[in-house]
Amino acid sequence: ADSLVSGIENSFKDNLKGEIVEGESNNNYGAMFSRDQEGFSRGDEDITKMSISDVDKLQTDYLNYQKSIGREEDNRSAAMGAYQMLDVKKVAELMGLDPETTIFNQETQDMMADYYLNYAGLKEFQAGEITAEEFNNRLAEQFASIETTSGKGMYDDDGMNKANTSVFNLIK
């Protein structure tokens, strides 16, 4: 019975991740924050073949590029990958992954997404300790594409993001 339960839990988690990558990047594991990508000299590099440390350096370069074209600090993003992650190196280290040798490919990104899901309260939700609404809204704090239960995104007013995905039907 344990394997059945973990199978159901994993399929829920996989379905949730599927909705998130669809909303964040249209399932593009090589995605980087698109607004300023075209003018950025490194904007066409393949992040899925880079180490996490190299992605981290690319993020720094991208933020510096945005600064150089006059973007204010609160109007810059270097979100990377299918889940549009910000702190890739920090999260990798917290998960015990070696940023120098771990490649930021689909497998790694899917594994790292678990960190964000757990941070948002996946385990507490599955244990019945938080409501579906609370879990949904905590996910919306981690992923700008996810709508809160009010139908808006947490970051809709930042000038960079607009929520486009509801996962509440999947969760509740």
Side-chain angles (χ1 to χ4, degrees), residues 1-98:
D2 281 354
S3 63
L4 183 65
V5 168
S6 71
I8 291 168
E9 285 179 1
N10 284 337
S11 67
F12 169 71
K13 190 167 70 172
D14 290 342
N15 288 340
L16 193 53
K17 287 172 162 177
E19 294 287 328
I20 293 167
V21 295
E22 183 71 38
E24 290 288 325
S25 68
N26 281 326
N27 296 305
N28 178 2
Y29 284 82
M32 66 176 78
F33 176 68
S34 59
R35 183 191 61 199
D36 298 315
Q37 189 175 357
E38 204 174 301
F40 176 45
S41 63
R42 299 188 62 193
D44 59 356
E45 294 185 22
D46 185 353
I47 61 172
T48 67
K49 299 199 170 21
M50 292 182 189
S51 72
I52 288 171
S53 286
D54 287 338
V55 173
D56 179 64
K57 291 184 187 97
L58 176 68
Q59 288 180 301
T60 301
D61 289 350
Y62 195 19
L63 292 171
N64 287 336
Y65 166 71
Q66 290 170 55
K67 182 179 182 179
S68 77
I69 60 169
R71 299 276 188 210
E72 294 295 328
E73 192 167 349
D74 62 358
N75 193 24
R76 298 177 208 147
S77 176
M80 293 283 162
Y83 299 88
Q84 292 292 279
M85 297 177 191
L86 298 174
D87 302 312
V88 294
K89 190 173 182 188
K90 187 176 100 180
V91 170
E93 287 168 344
L94 287 168
M95 293 182 74
L97 302 172
D98 181 351

Side-chain angles (χ1 to χ4, degrees), residues 92-109:
E93 287 168 344
L94 287 168
M95 293 182 74
L97 302 172
D98 181 351
E100 299 298 326
T101 58
T102 306
I103 302 302
F104 195 62
N105 56 20
Q106 179 171 347
E107 184 184 4
T108 299
Q109 291 182 41

Side-chain angles (χ1 to χ4, degrees), residues 33 35 74-77 144 153-163:
F33 176 68
R35 183 191 61 199
D74 62 358
N75 193 24
R76 298 177 208 147
S77 176
M154 294 290 287
Y155 306 99
D156 279 4
D157 299 329
D158 70 2
M160 293 186 285
N161 295 291
K162 193 89 182 89

